[in-house]
Amino acid sequence: MKSKSIWLPPNHQQNYEPLNKHLKDEIVIIGGSFTGLVTALNLLKEGYSVSLLEAKTIGLAASRSAGVLASSLERDFIDYIKTYGFETAKRLWSFSVIGVEAVKELASSLGVPTEDTGSLYVSYQEDADYIQQEGGERRKAGFECEYFENLNNPLYEDGATLGLITPGDSLIDPYQFCVAIATQAVTLGLKIYENSPVKSLDSKQGTCKTSIGSITADKVILAGQSIPEQFGFKTKNVQLLSFCLATEVLSNT
């Protein structure tokens, strides 16, 4: 039996026509979920002409996510301290905290509600000392979190009875958010083509071909987790992904 996203509305449908002609543009983005749409929105605000190709429909891939805006990174804060030192770890982690606030601000401007539910990082009794240390280091760096233990909570029947609560994390409808970004971007000039999977990509010429059309652009942006590999790029070699970068403050020169 196929599962269905809880975020996808019953009346979900195509809102934009497929690409059925041969066009030129300044920038073409492949991928119509959060990364591609936010990239398009920001480029449009900077005055660029942008087209976006989506293999299915806008926000469909995003609708499979949990919809959690989490301010933690892939590894524990302690791991970042061990790898980069306390100050650099703090700066890296702060990007994720700022990112959550930026998404909430964008959502609010588009009329998309967010719910400050907080998030849980749960673990086991034998990890109590480590979890408390993790929480202590986060708080030392100025990041909110609370340690908890609840032996009677039925959600933790498998034995994960303790952990950290991050109160600033939130919940958002990722599909609704993507649709709202797309609607705003279209008012700024974005050209969206749904049900237009790219069959081939000529990176030298900047040409993206679908089954019945193509777009040639000065720049091509691959905006999706599986898209780089689909066209033979190793993820580490793709120049534009969702990432954070910590540097010293740059001068105007």
Side-chain angles (χ1 to χ4, degrees):
M1 184 176 76
K2 279 189 175 182
S3 61
K4 185 178 179 181
S5 165
I6 62 171
W7 304 113
L8 205 60
N11 60 347
H12 164 255
Q13 59 184 0
Q14 173 183 309
N15 292 307
Y16 305 94
E17 293 299 317
L19 177 67
N20 59 5
K21 57 188 73 174
H22 303 284
L23 305 172
K24 290 186 177 182
D25 209 342
E26 283 188 276
I27 299 173
V28 60
I29 297 173
I30 304 176
S33 284
F34 176 72
T35 301
L37 290 166
V38 170
T39 302
L41 186 63
N42 284 301
L43 288 169
L44 290 160
K45 289 179 178 178
E46 293 297 320
Y48 291 97
S49 178
V50 185
S51 295
L52 184 146
L53 298 171
E54 165 55 39
K56 294 182 179 179
T57 54
I58 292 296
L60 183 62
S63 74
R64 297 195 291 268
S65 76
V68 177
L69 302 178
S71 57
S72 56
L73 299 178
E74 292 182 349
R75 292 153 49 198
D76 292 341
F77 188 57
I78 291 174
D79 290 337
Y80 284 89
I81 293 174
K82 291 177 179 177
T83 304
Y84 304 109
F86 183 82
E87 290 302 323
T88 300
K90 178 180 176 180
R91 295 176 66 193
L92 287 169
W93 200 274
S94 70
F95 280 113
S96 65
V97 176
I98 293 169
V100 168
E101 292 305 315
V103 171
K104 289 162 69 173
E105 183 178 340
L106 176 59
S108 177
S109 72
L110 297 173
V112 178
T114 58
E115 184 179 356
D116 290 337
T117 56
S119 64
L120 298 179
Y121 170 16
V122 296
S123 194
Y124 301 90
Q125 196 66 42
E126 59 266 28
D127 299 325
D129 290 343
Y130 175 84
I131 294 298
Q132 291 191 54
Q133 182 186 0
E134 170 74 11
E137 292 293 347
R138 290 193 199 181
R139 288 189 292 271
K140 180 181 174 183
F143 304 123
E144 284 189 276
C145 67
E146 303 168 11
Y147 178 79
F148 76 92
E149 282 193 53
N150 189 338
L151 300 177
N152 299 314
N153 191 327
L155 293 175
Y156 309 123
E157 289 179 351
D158 66 345
T161 58
L162 54 81
L164 297 174
I165 300 172
T166 305
D169 289 348
S170 302
L171 196 66
I172 191 171
D173 180 330
Y175 176 77
Q176 183 186 1
F177 189 33
C178 285
V179 170
I181 298 170
T183 302
Q184 175 68 21
V186 167
T187 67
L188 297 177
L190 178 64
K191 286 81 70 180
I192 295 177
Y193 302 96
E194 291 184 317
N195 290 312
S196 300
V198 175
K199 301 297 184 182
S200 65
L201 168 61
D202 185 332
S203 58
K204 291 184 178 180
Q205 298 295 323
T207 299
C208 305
K209 292 184 179 180
T210 69
S211 57
I212 54 175
S214 68
I215 298 180
T216 298
D218 299 329
K219 300 291 183 183
V220 179
I221 297 175
L222 308 180
Q225 289 183 334
S226 62
I227 291 173
E229 292 182 3
Q230 177 184 340
F231 296 111
F233 295 97
K234 294 182 178 179
T235 302
K236 64 180 180 181
N237 292 332
V238 176
Q239 295 183 354
L240 182 58
L241 293 172
S242 297
F243 65 97
C244 61
L245 176 67
T247 71
E248 296 297 328
V249 177
L250 302 179
S251 68
N252 293 330
T253 57

PDB file of all heavy atoms in Angstrom, residues 83-108:
ATOM      1  N   THR A  83      36.133  18.846  16.702  1.00  0.00           N
ATOM      2  CA  THR A  83      36.697  18.972  15.355  1.00  0.00           C
ATOM      3  C   THR A  83      37.244  20.362  15.077  1.00  0.00           C
ATOM      4  O   THR A  83      38.331  20.510  14.494  1.00  0.00           O
ATOM      5  CB  THR A  83      35.630  18.629  14.295  1.00  0.00           C
ATOM      6  OG1 THR A  83      35.111  17.323  14.558  1.00  0.00           O
ATOM      7  CG2 THR A  83      36.229  18.658  12.890  1.00  0.00           C
ATOM      8  N   TYR A  84      36.495  21.405  15.485  1.00  0.00           N
ATOM      9  CA  TYR A  84      36.835  22.769  15.071  1.00  0.00           C
ATOM     10  C   TYR A  84      37.211  23.701  16.219  1.00  0.00           C
ATOM     11  O   TYR A  84      37.658  24.824  15.968  1.00  0.00           O
ATOM     12  CB  TYR A  84      35.648  23.389  14.322  1.00  0.00           C
ATOM     13  CG  TYR A  84      35.196  22.578  13.146  1.00  0.00           C
ATOM     14  CD1 TYR A  84      33.986  21.881  13.173  1.00  0.00           C
ATOM     15  CD2 TYR A  84      35.967  22.502  11.980  1.00  0.00           C
ATOM     16  CE1 TYR A  84      33.556  21.130  12.093  1.00  0.00           C
ATOM     17  CE2 TYR A  84      35.548  21.759  10.893  1.00  0.00           C
ATOM     18  CZ  TYR A  84      34.344  21.069  10.953  1.00  0.00           C
ATOM     19  OH  TYR A  84      33.926  20.334   9.888  1.00  0.00           O
ATOM     20  N   GLY A  85      37.012  23.265  17.467  1.00  0.00           N
ATOM     21  CA  GLY A  85      37.219  24.169  18.591  1.00  0.00           C
ATOM     22  C   GLY A  85      35.921  24.873  18.938  1.00  0.00           C
ATOM     23  O   GLY A  85      34.992  24.970  18.120  1.00  0.00           O
ATOM     24  N   PHE A  86      35.850  25.389  20.155  1.00  0.00           N
ATOM     25  CA  PHE A  86      34.588  25.916  20.670  1.00  0.00           C
ATOM     26  C   PHE A  86      34.060  27.098  19.857  1.00  0.00           C
ATOM     27  O   PHE A  86      32.887  27.136  19.488  1.00  0.00           O
ATOM     28  CB  PHE A  86      34.758  26.333  22.144  1.00  0.00           C
ATOM     29  CG  PHE A  86      33.482  26.823  22.773  1.00  0.00           C
ATOM     30  CD1 PHE A  86      32.542  25.929  23.267  1.00  0.00           C
ATOM     31  CD2 PHE A  86      33.224  28.182  22.855  1.00  0.00           C
ATOM     32  CE1 PHE A  86      31.361  26.384  23.830  1.00  0.00           C
ATOM     33  CE2 PHE A  86      32.048  28.646  23.421  1.00  0.00           C
ATOM     34  CZ  PHE A  86      31.117  27.743  23.916  1.00  0.00           C
ATOM     35  N   GLU A  87      34.899  28.080  19.570  1.00  0.00           N
ATOM     36  CA  GLU A  87      34.420  29.302  18.914  1.00  0.00           C
ATOM     37  C   GLU A  87      33.913  29.033  17.501  1.00  0.00           C
ATOM     38  O   GLU A  87      32.872  29.551  17.092  1.00  0.00           O
ATOM     39  CB  GLU A  87      35.519  30.373  18.899  1.00  0.00           C
ATOM     40  CG  GLU A  87      35.821  30.958  20.260  1.00  0.00           C
ATOM     41  CD  GLU A  87      34.596  31.586  20.916  1.00  0.00           C
ATOM     42  OE1 GLU A  87      33.780  32.200  20.181  1.00  0.00           O
ATOM     43  OE2 GLU A  87      34.445  31.467  22.149  1.00  0.00           O
ATOM     44  N   THR A  88      34.643  28.220  16.732  1.00  0.00           N
ATOM     45  CA  THR A  88      34.190  27.902  15.370  1.00  0.00           C
ATOM     46  C   THR A  88      32.931  27.047  15.409  1.00  0.00           C
ATOM     47  O   THR A  88      32.009  27.248  14.602  1.00  0.00           O
ATOM     48  CB  THR A  88      35.294  27.178  14.587  1.00  0.00           C
ATOM     49  OG1 THR A  88      36.440  28.022  14.510  1.00  0.00           O
ATOM     50  CG2 THR A  88      34.835  26.827  13.180  1.00  0.00           C
ATOM     51  N   ALA A  89      32.866  26.101  16.349  1.00  0.00           N
ATOM     52  CA  ALA A  89      31.658  25.289  16.501  1.00  0.00           C
ATOM     53  C   ALA A  89      30.453  26.170  16.807  1.00  0.00           C
ATOM     54  O   ALA A  89      29.353  25.967  16.267  1.00  0.00           O
ATOM     55  CB  ALA A  89      31.851  24.258  17.611  1.00  0.00           C
ATOM     56  N   LYS A  90      30.664  27.151  17.664  1.00  0.00           N
ATOM     57  CA  LYS A  90      29.586  28.076  18.016  1.00  0.00           C
ATOM     58  C   LYS A  90      29.106  28.852  16.794  1.00  0.00           C
ATOM     59  O   LYS A  90      27.903  29.037  16.587  1.00  0.00           O
ATOM     60  CB  LYS A  90      30.090  29.038  19.098  1.00  0.00           C
ATOM     61  CG  LYS A  90      29.084  30.093  19.529  1.00  0.00           C
ATOM     62  CD  LYS A  90      29.681  30.987  20.603  1.00  0.00           C
ATOM     63  CE  LYS A  90      28.727  32.115  20.977  1.00  0.00           C
ATOM     64  NZ  LYS A  90      29.316  32.983  22.029  1.00  0.00           N
ATOM     65  N   ARG A  91      30.052  29.300  15.975  1.00  0.00           N
ATOM     66  CA  ARG A  91      29.682  30.057  14.774  1.00  0.00           C
ATOM     67  C   ARG A  91      28.943  29.181  13.772  1.00  0.00           C
ATOM     68  O   ARG A  91      27.963  29.608  13.152  1.00  0.00           O
ATOM     69  CB  ARG A  91      30.930  30.661  14.143  1.00  0.00           C
ATOM     70  CG  ARG A  91      31.611  31.714  15.012  1.00  0.00           C
ATOM     71  CD  ARG A  91      32.888  32.203  14.403  1.00  0.00           C
ATOM     72  NE  ARG A  91      32.645  32.921  13.168  1.00  0.00           N
ATOM     73  CZ  ARG A  91      33.592  33.237  12.298  1.00  0.00           C
ATOM     74  NH1 ARG A  91      34.842  32.865  12.527  1.00  0.00           N
ATOM     75  NH2 ARG A  91      33.309  33.895  11.208  1.00  0.00           N
ATOM     76  N   LEU A  92      29.395  27.937  13.592  1.00  0.00           N
ATOM     77  CA  LEU A  92      28.713  27.016  12.686  1.00  0.00           C
ATOM     78  C   LEU A  92      27.286  26.748  13.150  1.00  0.00           C
ATOM     79  O   LEU A  92      26.335  26.785  12.368  1.00  0.00           O
ATOM     80  CB  LEU A  92      29.498  25.702  12.594  1.00  0.00           C
ATOM     81  CG  LEU A  92      30.795  25.729  11.801  1.00  0.00           C
ATOM     82  CD1 LEU A  92      31.590  24.450  12.028  1.00  0.00           C
ATOM     83  CD2 LEU A  92      30.509  25.913  10.317  1.00  0.00           C
ATOM     84  N   TRP A  93      27.143  26.457  14.441  1.00  0.00           N
ATOM     85  CA  TRP A  93      25.816  26.127  14.988  1.00  0.00           C
ATOM     86  C   TRP A  93      24.874  27.325  14.896  1.00  0.00           C
ATOM     87  O   TRP A  93      23.671  27.168  14.670  1.00  0.00           O
ATOM     88  CB  TRP A  93      25.962  25.666  16.438  1.00  0.00           C
ATOM     89  CG  TRP A  93      24.802  24.880  16.961  1.00  0.00           C
ATOM     90  CD1 TRP A  93      23.655  25.380  17.525  1.00  0.00           C
ATOM     91  CD2 TRP A  93      24.661  23.461  16.990  1.00  0.00           C
ATOM     92  NE1 TRP A  93      22.815  24.354  17.901  1.00  0.00           N
ATOM     93  CE2 TRP A  93      23.420  23.168  17.581  1.00  0.00           C
ATOM     94  CE3 TRP A  93      25.482  22.404  16.576  1.00  0.00           C
ATOM     95  CZ2 TRP A  93      22.968  21.872  17.770  1.00  0.00           C
ATOM     96  CZ3 TRP A  93      25.029  21.113  16.758  1.00  0.00           C
ATOM     97  CH2 TRP A  93      23.782  20.855  17.350  1.00  0.00           C
ATOM     98  N   SER A  94      25.451  28.520  15.038  1.00  0.00           N
ATOM     99  CA  SER A  94      24.612  29.720  14.998  1.00  0.00           C
ATOM    100  C   SER A  94      23.958  29.906  13.636  1.00  0.00           C
ATOM    101  O   SER A  94      22.866  30.469  13.536  1.00  0.00           O
ATOM    102  CB  SER A  94      25.431  30.963  15.363  1.00  0.00           C
ATOM    103  OG  SER A  94      26.364  31.282  14.343  1.00  0.00           O
ATOM    104  N   PHE A  95      24.614  29.416  12.562  1.00  0.00           N
ATOM    105  CA  PHE A  95      24.007  29.516  11.237  1.00  0.00           C
ATOM    106  C   PHE A  95      22.679  28.769  11.181  1.00  0.00           C
ATOM    107  O   PHE A  95      21.725  29.222  10.543  1.00  0.00           O
ATOM    108  CB  PHE A  95      24.956  28.975  10.160  1.00  0.00           C
ATOM    109  CG  PHE A  95      26.029  29.941   9.745  1.00  0.00           C
ATOM    110  CD1 PHE A  95      27.355  29.685  10.040  1.00  0.00           C
ATOM    111  CD2 PHE A  95      25.717  31.110   9.069  1.00  0.00           C
ATOM    112  CE1 PHE A  95      28.356  30.572   9.659  1.00  0.00           C
ATOM    113  CE2 PHE A  95      26.706  32.001   8.685  1.00  0.00           C
ATOM    114  CZ  PHE A  95      28.032  31.729   8.981  1.00  0.00           C
ATOM    115  N   SER A  96      22.621  27.603  11.832  1.00  0.00           N
ATOM    116  CA  SER A  96      21.375  26.834  11.807  1.00  0.00           C
ATOM    117  C   SER A  96      20.286  27.530  12.615  1.00  0.00           C
ATOM    118  O   SER A  96      19.117  27.515  12.237  1.00  0.00           O
ATOM    119  CB  SER A  96      21.611  25.413  12.328  1.00  0.00           C
ATOM    120  OG  SER A  96      21.987  25.424  13.687  1.00  0.00           O
ATOM    121  N   VAL A  97      20.677  28.152  13.727  1.00  0.00           N
ATOM    122  CA  VAL A  97      19.707  28.895  14.539  1.00  0.00           C
ATOM    123  C   VAL A  97      19.174  30.092  13.754  1.00  0.00           C
ATOM    124  O   VAL A  97      17.963  30.340  13.702  1.00  0.00           O
ATOM    125  CB  VAL A  97      20.352  29.356  15.861  1.00  0.00           C
ATOM    126  CG1 VAL A  97      19.377  30.211  16.664  1.00  0.00           C
ATOM    127  CG2 VAL A  97      20.803  28.156  16.684  1.00  0.00           C
ATOM    128  N   ILE A  98      20.086  30.829  13.120  1.00  0.00           N
ATOM    129  CA  ILE A  98      19.681  31.973  12.295  1.00  0.00           C
ATOM    130  C   ILE A  98      18.811  31.496  11.133  1.00  0.00           C
ATOM    131  O   ILE A  98      17.842  32.162  10.741  1.00  0.00           O
ATOM    132  CB  ILE A  98      20.926  32.720  11.767  1.00  0.00           C
ATOM    133  CG1 ILE A  98      21.667  33.380  12.930  1.00  0.00           C
ATOM    134  CG2 ILE A  98      20.548  33.763  10.723  1.00  0.00           C
ATOM    135  CD1 ILE A  98      23.045  33.906  12.564  1.00  0.00           C
ATOM    136  N   GLY A  99      19.155  30.325  10.577  1.00  0.00           N
ATOM    137  CA  GLY A  99      18.387  29.783   9.457  1.00  0.00           C
ATOM    138  C   GLY A  99      16.939  29.519   9.805  1.00  0.00           C
ATOM    139  O   GLY A  99      16.027  29.816   9.025  1.00  0.00           O
ATOM    140  N   VAL A 100      16.706  28.954  10.992  1.00  0.00           N
ATOM    141  CA  VAL A 100      15.335  28.697  11.437  1.00  0.00           C
ATOM    142  C   VAL A 100      14.562  30.008  11.530  1.00  0.00           C
ATOM    143  O   VAL A 100      13.413  30.108  11.072  1.00  0.00           O
ATOM    144  CB  VAL A 100      15.323  27.963  12.793  1.00  0.00           C
ATOM    145  CG1 VAL A 100      13.919  27.965  13.403  1.00  0.00           C
ATOM    146  CG2 VAL A 100      15.808  26.534  12.620  1.00  0.00           C
ATOM    147  N   GLU A 101      15.184  31.017  12.107  1.00  0.00           N
ATOM    148  CA  GLU A 101      14.517  32.309  12.247  1.00  0.00           C
ATOM    149  C   GLU A 101      14.250  32.939  10.875  1.00  0.00           C
ATOM    150  O   GLU A 101      13.206  33.574  10.666  1.00  0.00           O
ATOM    151  CB  GLU A 101      15.349  33.252  13.114  1.00  0.00           C
ATOM    152  CG  GLU A 101      15.437  32.822  14.567  1.00  0.00           C
ATOM    153  CD  GLU A 101      14.071  32.630  15.204  1.00  0.00           C
ATOM    154  OE1 GLU A 101      13.191  33.506  15.003  1.00  0.00           O
ATOM    155  OE2 GLU A 101      13.870  31.606  15.888  1.00  0.00           O
ATOM    156  N   ALA A 102      15.184  32.769   9.945  1.00  0.00           N
ATOM    157  CA  ALA A 102      15.003  33.329   8.598  1.00  0.00           C
ATOM    158  C   ALA A 102      13.836  32.660   7.881  1.00  0.00           C
ATOM    159  O   ALA A 102      13.047  33.333   7.199  1.00  0.00           O
ATOM    160  CB  ALA A 102      16.291  33.165   7.791  1.00  0.00           C
ATOM    161  N   VAL A 103      13.720  31.341   8.030  1.00  0.00           N
ATOM    162  CA  VAL A 103      12.606  30.621   7.401  1.00  0.00           C
ATOM    163  C   VAL A 103      11.286  31.056   8.020  1.00  0.00           C
ATOM    164  O   VAL A 103      10.295  31.283   7.312  1.00  0.00           O
ATOM    165  CB  VAL A 103      12.803  29.096   7.541  1.00  0.00           C
ATOM    166  CG1 VAL A 103      11.543  28.361   7.093  1.00  0.00           C
ATOM    167  CG2 VAL A 103      13.990  28.642   6.711  1.00  0.00           C
ATOM    168  N   LYS A 104      11.257  31.197   9.339  1.00  0.00           N
ATOM    169  CA  LYS A 104      10.038  31.630  10.012  1.00  0.00           C
ATOM    170  C   LYS A 104       9.636  33.036   9.579  1.00  0.00           C
ATOM    171  O   LYS A 104       8.453  33.332   9.389  1.00  0.00           O
ATOM    172  CB  LYS A 104      10.224  31.558  11.537  1.00  0.00           C
ATOM    173  CG  LYS A 104      10.281  30.129  12.056  1.00  0.00           C
ATOM    174  CD  LYS A 104      10.885  30.030  13.431  1.00  0.00           C
ATOM    175  CE  LYS A 104      10.043  30.619  14.511  1.00  0.00           C
ATOM    176  NZ  LYS A 104      10.597  30.344  15.856  1.00  0.00           N
ATOM    177  N   GLU A 105      10.631  33.898   9.400  1.00  0.00           N
ATOM    178  CA  GLU A 105      10.355  35.268   8.945  1.00  0.00           C
ATOM    179  C   GLU A 105       9.798  35.271   7.525  1.00  0.00           C
ATOM    180  O   GLU A 105       8.831  35.991   7.221  1.00  0.00           O
ATOM    181  CB  GLU A 105      11.639  36.089   9.006  1.00  0.00           C
ATOM    182  CG  GLU A 105      11.458  37.550   8.632  1.00  0.00           C
ATOM    183  CD  GLU A 105      12.740  38.356   8.745  1.00  0.00           C
ATOM    184  OE1 GLU A 105      13.671  37.920   9.441  1.00  0.00           O
ATOM    185  OE2 GLU A 105      12.803  39.435   8.110  1.00  0.00           O
ATOM    186  N   LEU A 106      10.396  34.453   6.638  1.00  0.00           N
ATOM    187  CA  LEU A 106       9.893  34.356   5.268  1.00  0.00           C
ATOM    188  C   LEU A 106       8.485  33.791   5.255  1.00  0.00           C
ATOM    189  O   LEU A 106       7.601  34.306   4.554  1.00  0.00           O
ATOM    190  CB  LEU A 106      10.828  33.478   4.429  1.00  0.00           C
ATOM    191  CG  LEU A 106      10.378  33.192   2.988  1.00  0.00           C
ATOM    192  CD1 LEU A 106      10.202  34.487   2.203  1.00  0.00           C
ATOM    193  CD2 LEU A 106      11.378  32.269   2.288  1.00  0.00           C
ATOM    194  N   ALA A 107       8.254  32.745   6.033  1.00  0.00           N
ATOM    195  CA  ALA A 107       6.919  32.139   6.097  1.00  0.00           C
ATOM    196  C   ALA A 107       5.885  33.148   6.563  1.00  0.00           C
ATOM    197  O   ALA A 107       4.776  33.242   6.008  1.00  0.00           O
ATOM    198  CB  ALA A 107       6.948  30.930   7.024  1.00  0.00           C
ATOM    199  N   SER A 108       6.231  33.923   7.576  1.00  0.00           N
ATOM    200  CA  SER A 108       5.307  34.927   8.097  1.00  0.00           C
ATOM    201  C   SER A 108       4.967  35.966   7.037  1.00  0.00           C
ATOM    202  O   SER A 108       3.802  36.370   6.895  1.00  0.00           O
ATOM    203  CB  SER A 108       5.926  35.607   9.327  1.00  0.00           C
ATOM    204  OG  SER A 108       5.096  36.634   9.807  1.00  0.00           O
TER     205      SER A 108
END
